[in-house]
């Protein structure tokens, strides 16, 4: 066994509360209410331990992280420890002066999501009136503080044809970076998979458009492209490998190897506070379960890519192959790879989608059947 | 559309500086220098570090080359392409301001 290296990155889902109700949200279907959230002291002590352990980068996310009234205090703690701090926000309902206060406290970067490149799309996907204009105003305020800005565009069937417009929007808003991120089917996105799945031809067109723009905009704006798993030949190295570089923390302090890990029912996860972060990272059975390559079966076990993609996503293996230790079915070598294609055909076939989404709401209690 | 944005191109007179959102920082846990940036962390090698440390917004590229040539006992013309290539690449990655 290789020695366990210290984690580099941490995704902190501070809250599940959010003013939007995006159908593609990767949060679990069973959302936590405000009274389950870890308190300020809990987060601060977690951040201190994370910095001691070697975490260099923290992404503050949710839900909508700006709904935490203690956000400035949390950022100040991270900045004091020299941790690079990124805020991932939907940019709706941020009160006057808040962004300035966050910049002042030492925030390093803001990532702002747009559900559509146009107001009608943003409103439809997020189920929130006036959201688009508020986001544009947020972007303007971010730029006014001098903070670097990334625009995040989560892509699926209902906005894939807006990719060129997302590129123009991000340029207009003065973003240094644009993330064209095809949605991953976890949480609410899995529940809405049939409604979100794009057509094959649209995916191919999108790839061309993005590659052309990356070339054209070299040195002007970085475009990071997260390609859609279901159309892939090889999987992505999910989280950079299970329990290898990074981890995430749910609003109640549960520490997870990735945001969908709770869908693997055979694993048990531990809460920060019950154990220290170092104990969880090094010793928790859930973190050890798929760390490294020893757990792998064929075809991964003898594959030359096993330390490139680490066998892909465990949660996707669970959802589609029914075995969390199987190769990610996104991989062409997986015996279940054909199921990905069948799921695309099923979703994009004529009668599959009736024009509605299951919008993300607190209170829905069961995970979808897949 | 707002004003057209253009790509910065390195010239002998550029005075490179680290971008405000890029932070060069010594990591005690790993005993190495890290360059922190949005989404990405780079672990520059010795040569890259020496170049990055000269990116202070005051040195012109020609001065940087002279200093580096001196440090490495190399010929200025020999290292010019390496240094300008490096700066262009890191400018394109939005880590260095030209
Ligand atoms: S994806 Fe939408 S609903 Fe989910 S947290 Fe982000 S903004 Fe809120
Ligand atoms: S067989 Fe496993 S390791 Fe090889 S490419 Fe596929 S998922 Fe990756």
């Amino acid at each position: 066994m290789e020695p366990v290296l210290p984690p580099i990155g941490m995704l902190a889902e501070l809250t599940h509360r959010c003013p939007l109700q995006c159908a593609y949200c990767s949060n679990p279907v069973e959302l936590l209410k405000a009274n389950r959230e870890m308190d300020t002291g809990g987060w601060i002590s977690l951040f201190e331990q994370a910095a001691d352990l070697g975490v260099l980068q923290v992404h503050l996310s949710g839900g909508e992280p700006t709904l935490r009234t203690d956000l400035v205090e949390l950022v100040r703690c991270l900045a004091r420890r020299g941790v690079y701090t990124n805020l991932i926000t939907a940019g709706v309902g941020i009160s006057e002066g808040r962004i300035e206060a966050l910049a002042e406290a030492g925030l390093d970067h803001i990532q702002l999501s747009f559900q559509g490149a146009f107001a009608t799309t943003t409103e439809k996907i997020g189920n929130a009136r006036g959201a688009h204009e508020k986001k544009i105003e947020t972007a303007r305020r971010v730029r006014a503080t001098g903070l670097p800005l990334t625009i995040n565009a989560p892509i699926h069937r209902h906005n894939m044809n807006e990719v060129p417009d997302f590129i123009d929007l991000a340029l207009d808003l003065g973003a240094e970076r644009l993330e064209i991120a095809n949605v991953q089917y976890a949480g609410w996105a899995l529940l809405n998979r049939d409604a979100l799945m794009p057509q094959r031809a649209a995916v191919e067109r999108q790839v061309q458009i993005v590659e052309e723009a990356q070339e054209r905009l070299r040195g002007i704006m970085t475009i990071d492209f997260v390609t859609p798993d279901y159309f892939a030949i090889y999987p992505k190295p999910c989280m950079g490998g299970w329990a290898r570089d990074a981890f995430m923390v749910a609003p109640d302090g549960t520490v997870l190897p990735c945001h969908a890990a709770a869908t693997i029912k055979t694993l048990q996860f531990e809460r920060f506070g019950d154990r220290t972060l170092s104990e969880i990272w090094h010793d928790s059975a859930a973190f050890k379960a798929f760390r490294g390559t020893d757990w792998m079966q064929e075809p991964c076990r003898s594959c030359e890519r096993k330390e490139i993609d680490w066998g892909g996503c465990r949660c996707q293996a669970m959802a589609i192959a029914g075995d969390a230790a199987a190769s990610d079915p996104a991989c062409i070598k997986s015996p279940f790879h054909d199921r990905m294609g069948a799921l695309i055909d099923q979703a994009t076939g004529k009668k599959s989608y009736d024009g509605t989404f299951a919008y993300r709401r607190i209170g829905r209690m069961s995970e979808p059947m897949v | 559309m707002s004003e057209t944005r253009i790509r910065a191109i390195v010239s002998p007179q550029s005075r490179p500086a680290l971008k405000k959102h890029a932070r060069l920082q010594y990591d005690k846990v790993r005993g190495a220098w890290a360059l922190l940036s949005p989404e990405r962390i780079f672990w520059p090698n010795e040569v890259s570090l020496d170049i990055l440390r000269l990116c202070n917004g005051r040195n012109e590229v020609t001065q940087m080359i002279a200093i580096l040539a001196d440090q490495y006992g190399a010929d200025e013309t020999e290292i010019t392409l390496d240094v300008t290539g490096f700066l262009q690449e890191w400018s394109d990655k939005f880590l260095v301001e030209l």
Side-chain angles (χ1 to χ4, degrees):
Chain A
M1 276 284 270
E2 280 181 71
V4 177
L5 296 173
I8 291 179
M10 160 173 169
L11 176 70
E13 289 188 347
L14 298 176
T15 179
H16 277 159
R17 291 170 288 142
C18 187
L20 267 56
Q21 304 183 349
C22 305
Y24 67 80
C25 187
S26 63
N27 282 158
V29 174
E30 194 173 323
L31 294 163
L32 298 171
K33 296 203 175 106
N35 62 9
R36 299 278 304 278
E37 290 173 17
M38 194 152 67
D39 64 10
T40 310
W43 284 107
I44 298 244
S45 107
L46 173 62
F47 291 154
E48 296 276 4
Q49 290 190 22
D52 290 341
L53 196 56
V55 167
L56 296 173
Q57 197 155 38
V58 167
H59 305 277
L60 300 170
S61 171
E64 175 50 47
T66 59
L67 290 177
R68 289 282 306 208
T69 50
D70 53 3
L71 187 61
V72 172
E73 196 179 338
L74 300 182
V75 168
R76 200 173 291 127
C77 163
L78 290 165
R80 185 167 41 76
R81 294 302 310 266
V83 176
Y84 200 93
T85 311
N86 174 28
L87 178 71
I88 301 177
T89 178
V92 171
I94 304 180
S95 55
E96 199 69 40
R98 199 88 191 292
I99 292 171
E100 295 73 8
L102 289 166
E104 181 95 347
L107 185 68
D108 290 296
H109 173 246
I110 289 188
Q111 182 174 318
L112 172 63
S113 63
F114 273 83
Q115 285 61 38
F118 304 106
T120 43
T121 317
T122 300
E123 293 189 359
K124 180 182 166 207
I125 305 300
N127 203 25
R129 277 255 190 88
H132 198 76
E133 292 73 17
K134 289 177 191 152
K135 288 165 183 284
I136 289 183
E137 174 58 14
T138 299
R140 200 194 55 70
R141 281 162 56 194
V142 171
R143 298 306 296 145
T145 63
L147 279 173
L149 175 67
T150 291
I151 299 296
N152 174 264
I155 302 294
H156 43 75
R157 184 197 299 189
H158 304 274
N159 63 7
M160 193 168 278
N161 59 351
E162 293 177 20
V163 164
D165 310 290
F166 275 116
I167 296 169
D168 286 347
L169 177 69
L171 282 169
D172 267 358
L173 295 174
E176 278 89 0
R177 242 176 106 249
L178 168 64
E179 238 178 56
I180 302 277
N182 283 260
V183 302
Q184 318 251 6
Y185 297 106
W188 290 82
L190 185 54
L191 188 67
N192 283 298
R193 184 173 57 196
D194 280 358
L196 295 171
M197 186 71 74
Q199 304 279 352
R200 287 176 200 274
V203 171
E204 279 161 29
R205 212 161 43 237
Q206 173 194 227
V207 173
Q208 267 178 12
I209 290 168
V210 172
E211 285 174 354
E212 180 278 326
Q214 283 173 324
E215 193 53 40
R216 175 167 52 90
L217 297 173
R218 182 189 309 282
I220 296 173
M221 181 172 75
T222 304
I223 303 180
D224 285 336
F225 189 31
V226 180
T227 52
D229 278 340
Y230 281 55
F231 298 81
I233 297 172
Y234 290 121
K236 300 188 186 74
C238 186
M239 294 294 280
W242 183 274
R244 188 175 173 79
D245 287 336
F247 59 94
M248 75 141 275
V249 183
D252 65 353
T254 304
V255 186
L256 300 154
C258 87
H259 61 255
T263 59
I264 303 175
K265 297 296 178 202
T266 49
L267 298 179
Q268 269 174 7
F269 304 99
E270 295 174 273
R271 279 234 321 259
F272 176 71
D274 297 341
R275 295 185 84 189
T276 66
L277 183 61
S278 174
E279 284 167 347
I280 296 174
W281 177 255
H282 289 102
D283 295 330
S284 151
F287 277 73
K288 285 190 196 159
F290 305 114
R291 185 178 260 144
T293 54
D294 291 349
W295 56 273
M296 287 179 178
Q297 315 167 356
E298 293 299 345
C300 291
R301 180 175 280 279
S302 52
C303 178
E304 72 287 352
R305 287 179 56 87
K306 68 179 175 187
E307 294 195 357
I308 297 173
D309 62 38
W310 305 97
C313 172
R314 297 302 88 231
C315 310
Q316 198 148 263
M318 184 71 232
I320 292 169
D323 175 6
S327 306
D328 185 335
C331 179
I332 193 153
K333 295 188 191 174
S334 157
F336 298 94
H337 185 68
D338 288 349
R339 285 202 191 165
M340 300 293 253
L343 285 163
I344 297 172
D345 294 340
Q346 173 199 314
T348 55
K350 268 202 190 96
K351 272 191 249 132
S352 63
Y353 173 58
D354 62 2
T356 58
F357 296 123
Y359 284 117
R360 173 198 191 276
R361 287 191 185 107
I362 289 183
R364 185 186 172 108
M365 291 313 266
S366 59
E367 299 292 334
M369 301 293 293
V370 285
Chain B
M1 274 267 174
S2 56
E3 84 275 29
T4 320
R5 291 165 53 175
I6 53 165
R7 178 186 182 199
I9 301 291
V10 64
S11 85
Q13 287 75 44
S14 313
R15 294 172 193 270
L18 274 187
K19 285 261 193 196
K20 204 181 131 219
H21 62 259
R23 201 157 77 222
L24 195 57
Q25 170 173 314
Y26 188 72
D27 173 22
K28 277 188 253 157
V29 173
R30 297 169 188 82
W33 285 87
L35 184 70
L36 307 183
S37 78
E39 303 295 325
R40 249 167 240 162
I41 295 172
F42 299 86
W43 301 96
N45 61 23
E46 275 309 311
V47 181
S48 306
L49 270 177
D50 285 332
I51 303 178
L52 289 172
R53 288 196 182 106
L54 293 173
C55 292
N56 56 14
R58 294 186 302 274
N59 293 320
E60 285 187 1
V61 170
T62 43
Q63 290 170 301
M64 290 176 60
I65 291 169
I67 297 169
L68 289 162
D70 193 49
Q71 265 178 19
Y72 285 86
D75 193 56
E76 282 187 33
T77 49
E78 259 172 45
I79 65 167
T80 295
L81 267 185
D82 287 344
V83 176
T84 54
F86 175 92
L87 291 170
Q88 186 62 52
E89 189 188 326
W90 285 61
S91 164
D92 287 346
K93 286 186 191 156
F94 294 92
L95 298 167
V96 164
E97 184 107 53
L98 293 176

